[in-house]
Amino acid sequence: MLTFIGLGLFDEKDISLKGLEAIKNADMVFAEFYTSRLMGSTIEELEKLYGKTVHILSREDVEISPEWLAEAKEKNVVFLTGGDTMVSTTHVDLRLRAKNLGIGTKLIHGSSIASAICGLSGLQNYRFGKASTIPHPYTSIRGKTIISETPYDTIKLNKEHNMHTLVFLDIDKDKGYMTVNQALSLLLEIEERRGEGVMENAIVVGIARAGSDEPVVKAGYAHYLREADFGDPLHILVVPASLHFIEAEALVKLLGAPQEILDELDD
């Protein structure tokens, strides 16, 4: 049996009782932290709580050569991820591989950033469209810096359908954790080049360390939040479409957005 367990958002205490029980009853415990990770905890703290050794898997171990998967044919194996399990396509693919090997699977969910952003921001969950990820820029073989414009296009499409956009920020083993500030700088650079008005005067929401005791959540114009201090990772960005009155009130009164976005709705 292979049990997929989501660990929640921030530290070792976010796991559900059902998930903790499954880990304690497991023969082997594996985890990957390249798609997300618990910034408020360490592997040692996880192992202390679980009373188990946690085997950390690389991207290659999960996506290319998951030889460890065979252990689940005869043993009770759990696979841990930050956030909620199955949010990443990588994890769905792993579950399908297990199915093809005749291995039974089970899911134990954890808190997800997809729902946490609604609680933290006041934005309504049913108004979100397609999500996107902003990757770090990279250098081409000709030495040119390449910035992906896919997130900009996704935000544009969602706005055309009056839908909010959740923007995940890149985690790279060499370049580190992308910040809200870096993400906004990239989007505004694309805006300056293309001039399509997607980010011009756009209200955005930046969130840092969701799930912690003191998350940072700020709303305001993109060019202003680009200079704001969000502190340590993990960061995530939301680009709203038009705002319902309750959403606008939440952004202003809870997140510090400018009063004028409420005044405009009253006009």
Side-chain angles (χ1 to χ4, degrees):
M1 172 66 73
L2 176 62
T3 303
F4 293 85
I5 303 175
L7 297 178
L9 296 173
F10 188 70
D11 62 26
E12 74 278 7
K13 297 178 183 178
D14 284 344
I15 191 171
S16 67
L17 291 176
K18 184 183 292 185
L20 183 58
E21 182 180 38
I23 294 173
K24 290 183 176 294
N25 291 331
D27 297 314
M28 301 189 73
V29 179
F30 295 93
E32 70 84 357
F33 293 122
Y34 64 85
T35 56
S36 183
R37 63 163 298 179
L38 304 181
M39 300 304 295
S41 189
T42 65
I43 299 302
E44 291 74 21
E45 288 169 327
L46 295 178
E47 291 181 331
K48 181 179 179 180
L49 177 63
Y50 304 157
K52 302 277 186 177
T53 298
V54 179
H55 303 277
I56 305 301
L57 301 171
S58 66
R59 182 184 293 272
E60 182 179 72
D61 291 332
V62 177
E63 298 180 3
I64 301 174
S65 304
E67 285 87 0
W68 60 272
L69 198 57
E71 299 282 356
K73 289 183 177 181
E74 305 293 336
K75 298 177 181 178
N76 186 12
V77 173
V78 299
F79 176 77
L80 311 177
T81 61
D84 188 17
T85 189
M86 295 296 124
V87 171
S88 172
T89 304
T90 293
H91 306 149
V92 178
D93 178 68
L94 190 59
R95 191 183 185 196
L96 291 172
R97 292 191 189 208
K99 174 73 172 179
N100 292 337
L101 291 172
I103 298 170
T105 61
K106 184 168 65 173
L107 309 181
I108 299 178
H109 296 283
S111 53
S112 169
I113 191 62
S115 56
I117 59 170
C118 298
L120 289 169
S121 69
L123 297 173
Q124 297 164 354
N125 66 338
Y126 60 85
R127 296 200 56 213
F128 279 79
K130 180 182 178 181
S132 188
T133 299
I134 298 182
H136 285 283
Y138 66 94
T139 304
S140 70
I141 57 175
R142 297 183 178 180
K144 182 180 179 181
T145 299
I146 305 297
I147 298 174
S148 172
E149 298 190 6
T150 299
Y152 183 94
D153 290 328
T154 299
I155 295 167
K156 178 182 178 180
L157 180 63
N158 282 341
K159 283 194 170 186
E160 289 172 353
H161 292 87
N162 200 23
M163 305 293 282
H164 306 324
T165 307
L166 170 59
V167 185
F168 295 98
L169 307 185
D170 197 11
I171 298 175
D172 185 273
K173 66 178 182 179
D174 297 317
K175 298 178 180 179
Y177 303 98
M178 180 175 287
T179 66
V180 167
N181 316 82
Q182 291 170 319
L184 289 174
S185 292
L186 293 171
L187 289 171
L188 289 169
E189 182 176 338
I190 297 169
E191 177 67 62
E192 184 176 354
R193 183 166 63 247
R194 290 174 49 169
E196 297 177 15
V198 173
M199 297 302 299
E200 184 181 4
N201 296 321
I203 291 289
V204 299
V205 179
I207 299 173
R209 298 174 302 286
S212 70
D213 291 337
E214 296 182 347
V216 172
V217 189
K218 299 180 180 182
Y221 292 108
H223 63 271
Y224 171 76
L225 282 197
R226 176 176 56 182
E227 308 302 326
D229 181 8
F230 287 90
D232 295 333
L234 293 172
H235 292 188
I236 198 157
L237 178 68
V238 182
V239 183
S242 65
L243 296 167
H244 180 276
F245 179 80
I246 296 297
E247 292 180 309
E249 186 174 19
L251 296 190
V252 171
K253 295 183 178 180
L254 301 178
L255 277 62
Q259 176 67 32
E260 62 196 62
I261 71 171
L262 258 180
D263 297 338
E264 289 172 358
L265 292 179
D266 289 333
D267 293 340

